[in-house]
Amino acid sequence: MTVAFGLLGPVTLHLDGSAVALPAGRTQLLLAALLLSRGRRVSTKRLLGDLWDEPPPSAPVNLRTYVTRLRGLLGPHRDRLVWVNAGYALAVESGELDLDGFEVDIRDALDAVRRGRPEQSAQALAAGLRHWRGEAAEGLPRFGAFGHSLDALDESRWVSVERYAAACAEAGQHHAAVAALRSLLADRPARESAWEALTQALVRLGERAEALTALAAADAALRAGTGRGPGLVLREIGRGLREGVPTAPGRPDAAAGDLSPRTAPSSLPPPVVLLGRECLLSQIEATLGRAGAIVLHGPAGVGKSALAGAVAARLAPSYPRGQLYLDFCGSPGLTPMTVEEATGSLLRALDGERSGGTAAAEAAELQTRVGDGRMLLLLDNVVDAGQVRRLLSVLGAATVIVTSRTALPTLDVTHLAVGALAPDESVALLARHAGPERILAAPEQAEVLADLCDHLPLALRIVGARLAGRPEWALADMVARLADEQFRLDELSCDDLAVRASLAVTTDVLAERPGGPEAMALFDRWGMVCPPAIGLELAQVLTGADAREVRALLDRLAAAGLVEACGTDRYRLHDLVRLYAMERGRRDPTTRAAAIHAARCYWLGTTRRAGDHLRRVPDRPADGFVEARPVVTFADQREALRWLDRERENLVAAARVAARDGTTEGDLFAVRLCAEMYPFLPMRGYYRELREVAQGALRCARRLGSRPDEATALTYFAVAQSRLGETDQGVDNLRIALALREADDDTQAVAVTLDHLGVLLAAAGRLDEARAAFLRALDLHRRRADRRRMGVTLNNLADVLLQLDQSDAALVHLQESLRLRREIGDELGLGITILTIGQAYARSGRYRQAYGWLDRALTAARDTGNREAEWRVLTVRAKVHRETGQQLTARDDLHLALAISEQTGDSIGADEVRRALTALRVPATPRRAAGPR
């Protein structure tokens, strides 16, 4: 069955040529946002900003509902919409999206322009514009980055119309050009570049009166739409028409300075062939048409100069007075250029003489030389705003493109961030430098290489050059060289190109600025500890500064392009920058050891405080991990869960690093953190992370010779194994843990281990053994009057009795569990018991009672953040729906459960839900998904 997506107009979905009725609202927004990503992952956080102007607290749950609904609409293609690393991706094959056809036609048109074939270019542009049926994602609200992307798409459409008109005019088809421009201006009356092209086309046709009428209409439209009158080009055309000597279109009067078109200087570097970046190029061109100046900023090696050079080359024919290039020397090994040196260089390029007087006199001379004519300047590798601020005011009406590693936010011009390449663009760049045949021979290795290069154009260019120079190397050889993080930056060097040197320039420049040494100290400590992300709290721990101060330091690092924001006051390092930070962090072993210890104290102390809101631990052994002062505290369980979710990636990474560093402190930290991350990891469904953390802690406990810690790690490792399909191995590990507990004569720990063993035995179908384990555990808990653990065991015992078809006996135990958990205020456990009661009624066919208890259990699971319990409620309730003939409602619950499994990486749970979905018999007509109950 074929599928086709439409984005260039109202959002559409066609299956086998038949239109699918898309429900209005956020389901369409979700589809549009995923289509814009072209198969790449879109983070949940990004999607929330795309679907809501201000996401409500229920937004994450609602998003899962919309995902479920969209999967249903995709029909047999539902598996294309997948959960990937805290986000979603919709697989779209080449040619399935109307935007693909548009871009292919535009590339053909640009190729025809380069070959001097305007008629062919006009035909390709016309074909591309036929893909449009209205505004991009017409009728949908435009929030955040999603809205900006749609605006950029629309801009690429209007730019293509102007290109079409220009190609028609060059081919002598002036009437076609006029018709296209009038149609564009009917939609975009305040678009000055279109008015310029229209009046020029009318002048070419000899329609002086029509041109004057168009100028008057342009004046009215621009004043109404922008609050200002026509710009320089329209004013020149008007002056020429009124004087009876119209200026040749695209060639302003040379009297504005003493440069003639024949002597106009051109010092632009040879343009490079860009791969991808088409939308970005169109956005830059459109911005320059409106604003006259732009700053392209981004991290080292991201391809800013190449992008700016490509834009300048494309725009050069529109600037006959000259196109100048000036390198401000913000590159490795060079001394940055001063304002005075830049002014002198530009004067020489314009055949002007340096006055030898004051800087002000030379600036005045430059302003005179530039005049008010059209001139294009590319100011490359600018270090800071001070280098170009005065220069921009001198250049006046000239069009200026600035590139810089820093954002230069104090310049009053448009700013545009340049990011890394998309994965397919990265592979294409490798193919260009290393040879397409090598990439085609090993496409998977090429993708790995692109990932190892962090999709950074500079790194990809270096790798491609090295491969080109060593034809005997296979791609796998280069992958092996880059795989070792310790030496990757050594490998990313070729002749005068090196990623490390490029990054060093950025850090050296930042270190010389006010506040720079402090910002670089934070950067170095980040490299010492190397968490995946850093927020204000950890930055405070590493620096000793307060929140306001570390926010300023992180802002400086972000402005320098060394870090990127991944949330409010939260930042990440690009992979190659991370390796560079680690290199710097190893220079001072004493400071590094202190930074690592401080970070571990923060992580462990805060995890303990958060964990106490989930399951209070009365007595913890002393371990030396004591915070200087608590940076984070929690008012309630919701705050604690938010911190744990936000910091989970850092905590797992910290446990991983500690388990590998081979020190006593690292081993002790790993086993302590493992103990504190239970029950958070399983209740949120993060069983893979639990297995990794517990497995590392097990090695550490054995190195420490600590039997209690070994038993704890074995227990949690076994819990993860069971959920990941290794139940028999988990049972074996729990028996080892039980033996260790019994050897230590720790009655409480023996009882807790028996609880876990019973759960795994039940999962393995060994119900009689499970019941025996629970009965023994319950006896031990009663002897100690441990009401909390009694509540746990009674619930688990009841679950086994239900599987043995002893519902009445199970309900007796469940009522006691319910009472105990209410008495001690165990909200997390209470929700689980309520769920099991719902299961009991469902098993006995008392569906009305089952619905009531299951609905309460779902509310409790969501209130406590227990996604494992939420998944169980949804799957149990789906069975009840199916038994009562509500197939569609059962499907909706199963889709919500599947979303949870995919978000948490629970492949076993996902397979179980898919089998249940396959067993359902539901009509093909999509229906509204069930929301939270």
Side-chain angles (χ1 to χ4, degrees):
M1 178 175 282
T2 61
V3 61
F5 302 99
L7 193 58
L8 305 183
V11 177
T12 60
L13 168 62
H14 287 76
L15 298 179
D16 261 357
S18 299
V20 175
L22 297 176
R26 291 195 170 87
T27 304
Q28 284 194 39
L29 273 172
L30 173 63
L31 176 57
L34 293 170
L35 290 175
L36 276 173
S37 73
R38 315 288 276 277
R40 295 189 291 274
R41 180 189 73 91
V42 185
S43 70
T44 300
K45 182 178 179 64
R46 169 76 176 266
L47 285 172
L48 294 180
D50 291 346
L51 270 64
W52 286 272
D53 190 17
E54 295 183 3
S58 63
V61 173
N62 294 340
L63 175 60
R64 295 202 294 270
T65 301
Y66 298 131
V67 168
T68 299
R69 189 176 302 165
L70 182 54
R71 281 201 178 102
L73 294 167
L74 288 168
H77 299 278
R78 60 174 55 87
D79 290 341
R80 291 192 182 202
L81 178 49
V82 295
W83 171 260
V84 183
N85 189 23
Y88 291 95
L90 175 62
V92 180
E93 301 296 333
S94 177
E96 291 179 341
L97 179 62
D98 55 5
L99 180 58
D100 294 339
F102 171 68
E103 291 182 342
V104 168
D105 290 330
I106 297 308
R107 283 195 293 271
D108 290 345
L110 294 175
D111 184 59
V113 169
R114 284 190 288 270
R115 289 183 284 112
R117 299 179 179 176
E119 289 186 7
Q120 186 176 338
S121 176
Q123 291 171 0
L125 285 161
L129 289 167
R130 283 195 290 271
H131 290 284
W132 287 84
R133 299 166 283 109
E135 293 184 345
E138 187 170 282
L140 296 183
R142 300 189 173 193
F143 303 128
F146 169 71
H148 295 317
S149 297
L150 292 181
D151 291 342
L153 264 185
D154 285 334
E155 183 59 39
S156 67
R157 176 192 183 187
W158 309 131
V159 168
S160 297
V161 174
E162 292 176 342
R163 286 176 175 161
Y164 168 75
C168 288
E170 190 174 351
Q173 303 168 12
H174 300 298
H175 289 289
V178 168
L181 291 166
R182 289 194 188 279
S183 176
L184 168 56
L185 287 166
D187 284 320
R188 289 291 183 275
R191 191 175 182 87
E192 186 167 9
S193 54
W195 285 113
E196 292 172 3
L198 175 62
T199 53
Q200 289 171 347
L202 291 169
V203 168
R204 289 189 183 97
L205 284 170
E207 299 285 353
R208 180 175 180 275
E210 285 288 327
L212 287 170
T213 301
L215 284 171
D219 184 271
L222 291 171
R223 293 187 188 280
T226 67
R228 60 176 179 79
L232 174 65
V233 175
L234 288 174
R235 293 199 306 271
E236 284 187 345
I237 294 172
R239 176 171 55 80
L241 287 170
R242 287 187 295 273
E243 293 175 357
V245 187
T247 303
R251 300 177 65 86
D253 187 2
D258 57 2
L259 298 172
S260 71
R262 290 170 297 184
T263 61
S266 180
S267 58
L268 293 178
V272 299
V273 178
L274 287 182
L275 298 169
R277 308 278 202 195
E278 188 60 41
C279 283
L280 201 56
L281 283 167
S282 297
Q283 188 176 353
I284 295 168
E285 289 183 30
T287 298
L288 290 172
R290 296 190 306 269
I294 192 170
V295 173
L296 305 180
H297 63 89
V302 82
K304 302 176 295 296
S305 296
L307 180 62
V311 172
R314 288 166 63 154
L315 295 179
S318 299
Y319 295 90
R321 292 200 177 283
Q323 313 97 38
L324 301 181
Y325 172 85
L326 193 58
D327 188 347
F328 278 73
C329 304
S331 297
L334 300 176
T335 301
M337 183 179 289
T338 65
V339 178
E340 292 74 17
E341 291 170 337
T343 301
S345 295
L346 290 173
L347 276 174
R348 286 191 295 273
L350 294 170
D351 294 328
E353 297 295 329
R354 298 197 63 169
S355 65
T358 65
E362 292 189 346
E365 171 66 15
L366 177 60
Q367 191 168 28
T368 300
R369 298 293 300 173
V370 171
D372 61 355
R374 300 191 77 188
M375 184 173 290
L376 176 66
L377 292 96
L378 171 49
L379 310 182
D380 202 14
N381 293 314
V382 171
V383 176
D384 57 49
Q387 282 184 298
V388 293
R389 191 189 314 280
R390 281 183 288 154
L391 196 56
L392 289 176
S393 65
V394 168
L395 294 175
T399 295
V400 183
I401 306 172
V402 178
T403 74
S404 177
R405 299 184 184 198
T406 58
L408 311 182
T410 59
L411 293 181
D412 189 19
V413 299
T414 302
H415 300 260
L416 184 64
V418 181
L421 295 173
D424 56 337
E425 295 170 344
S426 299
V427 173
L429 184 58
L430 272 178
R432 178 180 162 201
H433 289 287
E437 64 285 347
R438 297 174 81 174
I439 303 303
L440 291 172
E444 292 182 358
Q445 295 293 329
E447 292 176 2
V448 174
L449 271 180
D451 286 338
L452 291 171
C453 290
D454 210 14
H455 304 285
L456 191 72
L458 174 61
L460 292 162
R461 181 181 173 190
I462 290 170
V463 168
R466 294 192 65 188
L467 286 169
R470 299 297 296 270
E472 73 277 11
W473 283 2
L475 296 192
D477 297 325
M478 197 70 232
V479 168
R481 286 172 171 266
L482 295 178
D484 190 335
E485 289 190 345
Q486 186 174 352
F487 302 107
R488 189 177 303 165
L489 292 180
D490 293 333
E491 296 291 341
L492 292 175
S493 175
C494 184
D495 293 335
D496 60 334
L497 299 178
V499 171
R500 180 187 286 111
S502 184
L503 291 169
V505 171
T506 302
T507 56
D508 290 348
V509 170
L510 177 58
E512 295 174 358
R513 294 179 176 171
E518 294 80 5
M520 285 311 305
L522 172 57
F523 181 77
D524 291 345
R525 283 170 174 76
W526 192 340
M528 295 170 184
V529 178
C530 213
I534 194 169
L536 297 184
E537 299 90 351
L538 180 55
Q540 288 177 256
V541 170
L542 295 177
T543 62
D546 61 28
R548 182 188 59 79
E549 292 168 334
V550 297
R551 182 179 283 115
L553 298 181
L554 289 166
D555 286 345
R556 290 189 181 99
L557 292 173
L562 290 170
V563 304
E564 66 170 350
C566 58
T568 303
D569 289 329
R570 197 163 181 84
Y571 296 86
R572 288 184 180 276
L573 294 172
H574 287 289
D575 208 36
L576 297 180
V577 181
R578 176 182 62 83
L579 298 181
Y580 181 64
M582 290 172 65
E583 279 189 1
R584 290 178 59 98
R586 286 192 288 266
R587 296 174 184 175
D588 186 346
T590 302
T591 303
R592 181 172 181 269
I596 291 172
H597 180 73
R600 287 172 174 171
C601 290
Y602 159 70
W603 279 321
L604 190 54
T606 313
T607 303
R608 284 169 170 165
R609 286 191 295 279
D612 281 343
H613 282 277
L614 308 179
R615 183 198 63 181
R616 182 167 293 280
V617 178
D619 298 307
R620 292 185 172 94
D623 49 29
F625 293 104
V626 180
E627 296 172 277
R629 59 181 178 86
V631 178
V632 181
T633 56
F634 308 105
D636 53 34
Q637 180 178 306
R638 286 182 180 275
E639 286 188 6
L641 276 174
R642 277 197 295 269
W643 183 87
L644 287 167
D645 277 327
R646 186 173 67 248
E647 205 68 14
R648 172 177 58 90
E649 188 180 13
N650 281 349
L651 294 172
V652 173
R656 182 188 306 126
V657 171
R660 292 175 180 171
D661 75 5
T663 65
T664 300
E665 179 184 298
D667 289 344
L668 188 57
F669 173 77
V671 299
R672 292 290 184 266
L673 188 60
C674 174
E676 298 299 339
M677 292 185 74
Y678 193 95
F680 164 69
L681 288 176
M683 69 177 274
R684 301 296 270 179
Y686 297 124
Y687 287 98
R688 296 185 186 280
E689 288 91 337
L690 178 62
R691 179 171 62 180
E692 180 184 3
V693 170
Q695 194 169 26
L698 181 59
R699 294 193 302 270
C700 295
R702 287 171 174 167
R703 284 198 295 263
L704 292 170
S706 171
R707 287 196 306 196
D709 288 326
E710 181 181 354
T712 298
L714 274 168
T715 300
Y716 297 157
F717 185 41
V719 169
Q721 284 181 303
S722 177
R723 188 57 176 160
L724 295 173
E726 302 168 358
T727 301
D728 290 339
Q729 298 94 317
V731 169
D732 293 340
N733 280 326
L734 273 175
R735 292 200 185 281
I736 297 171
L738 182 60
L740 292 171
R741 297 300 196 188
E742 290 173 336
D744 286 338
D745 197 24
D746 186 339
T747 304
Q748 181 184 17
V750 167
V752 171
T753 307
L754 284 167
D755 274 329
H756 287 291
L757 179 60
V759 171
L760 265 66
L761 287 168
R766 297 154 66 175
L767 300 179
D768 290 333
E769 293 177 71
R771 178 170 56 182
F774 287 135
L775 288 172
R776 184 183 168 196
L778 184 59
D779 180 58
L780 293 173
H781 292 320
R782 289 192 191 279
R783 291 182 193 178
R784 299 184 66 256
D786 189 340
R787 293 191 298 165
R788 188 179 71 83
R789 295 305 314 181
M790 285 170 60
V792 173
T793 307
L794 285 164
N795 178 84
N796 293 339
L797 176 58
D799 191 52
V800 170
L801 293 175
L802 288 175
Q803 296 178 65
L804 292 169
D805 292 326
Q806 300 177 27
S807 298
D808 291 338
L811 282 169
V812 172
H813 291 310
L814 287 169
Q815 291 299 330
E816 185 180 0
S817 173
L818 193 68
R819 176 181 60 79
L820 290 169
R821 286 177 152 174
R822 278 176 176 159
E823 288 175 355
I824 63 176
D826 180 5
E827 296 297 328
L828 189 64
L830 190 62
I832 295 171
T833 298
I834 291 172
L835 163 60
T836 312
I837 293 173
Q839 287 179 281
Y841 283 117
R843 278 182 171 271
S844 60
R846 289 174 278 184
Y847 298 126
R848 182 176 177 182
Q849 294 97 318
Y851 273 125
W853 286 96
L854 291 172
D855 286 351
R856 289 172 59 191
L858 186 58
T859 299
R862 287 171 173 167
D863 286 346
T864 57
N866 191 342
R867 286 196 290 184
E868 168 69 11
E870 182 182 355
W871 181 90
R872 286 182 58 199
V873 175
L874 291 166
T875 54
V876 172
R877 196 171 68 175
K879 292 177 183 177
V880 177
H881 289 320
R882 186 181 62 189
E883 292 298 323
T884 56
Q886 301 179 67
Q887 304 293 315
L888 289 172
T889 311
R891 184 194 65 182
D892 292 340
D893 272 358
L894 288 172
H895 276 304
L896 289 173
L898 182 61
I900 294 173
S901 295
E902 291 176 342
Q903 288 170 6
T904 58
D906 178 12
S907 58
I908 302 295
D911 289 343
E912 180 180 331
V913 175
R914 289 191 183 99
R915 287 194 295 271
L917 281 166
T918 302
L920 284 177
R921 294 182 178 180
V922 296
T925 304
R927 145 191 179 135
R928 177 181 174 85
R933 291 172 175 257

